[in-house]
């Protein structure tokens, strides 16, 4: 029973990976037709957003709106989370964005941290 379940899960993951592999190629062909119309900055933002989860894209948009920097709790509150869960909600997405160099971390006095767009 466990092996059958594992096999089913692996098959679902393979199907999901194939679906993701097909979608970006279609979107890239759409962006090629739109290149003369749009400016260079929006194209970069669209390509970046295709590789991110919706949560990461939302956090990235919030960080981009605040050029002077924003802390994780404020990011979560702006996204509509409860005050008690706001910082932990944003932290997961911020870690991934830090790894991919979309945002940079600014350490302030003590344990205060601000995130800015890289």
């Amino acid at each position: 029973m466990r092996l059958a379940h594992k096999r089913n899960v692996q098959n679902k993951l393979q199907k999901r990976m194939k679906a993701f592999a097909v979608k970006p190629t279609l979107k890239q062909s759409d962006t090629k037709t739109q290149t003369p119309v749009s400016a260079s900055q929006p194209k970069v933002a669209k390509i970046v957003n295709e590789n991110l989860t919706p949560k990461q894209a939302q956090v990235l948009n919030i960080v981009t709106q605040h050029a002077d920097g924003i802390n994780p709790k404020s990011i979560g509150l702006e996204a509509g989370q409860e005050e008690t869960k706001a910082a932990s909600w944003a932290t997961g997405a911020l870690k991934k964005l830090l790894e991919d160099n979309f945002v940079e971390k600014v350490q302030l006095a003590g344990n205060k941290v601000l995130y800015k767009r890289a």
Side-chain angles (χ1 to χ4, degrees), residues 30-83:
D30 291 341
T31 57
K32 288 179 184 176
T33 59
Q34 296 176 355
T35 36
V37 178
S38 62
S40 60
Q41 279 289 22
K43 283 192 296 183
V44 173
K46 288 178 186 176
I47 293 170
V48 165
N49 289 338
E50 289 176 3
N51 297 332
L52 300 176
T53 64
K55 181 178 176 179
Q56 291 169 350
Q58 182 180 15
V59 170
L60 185 61
N61 289 335
I62 292 171
V63 171
T64 308
Q65 291 172 358
H66 298 277
D68 55 337
I70 187 168
N71 62 357
K73 185 174 182 178
S74 298
I75 293 171
L77 289 174
E78 195 164 320
Q81 297 296 314
E82 297 176 16
E83 188 171 349

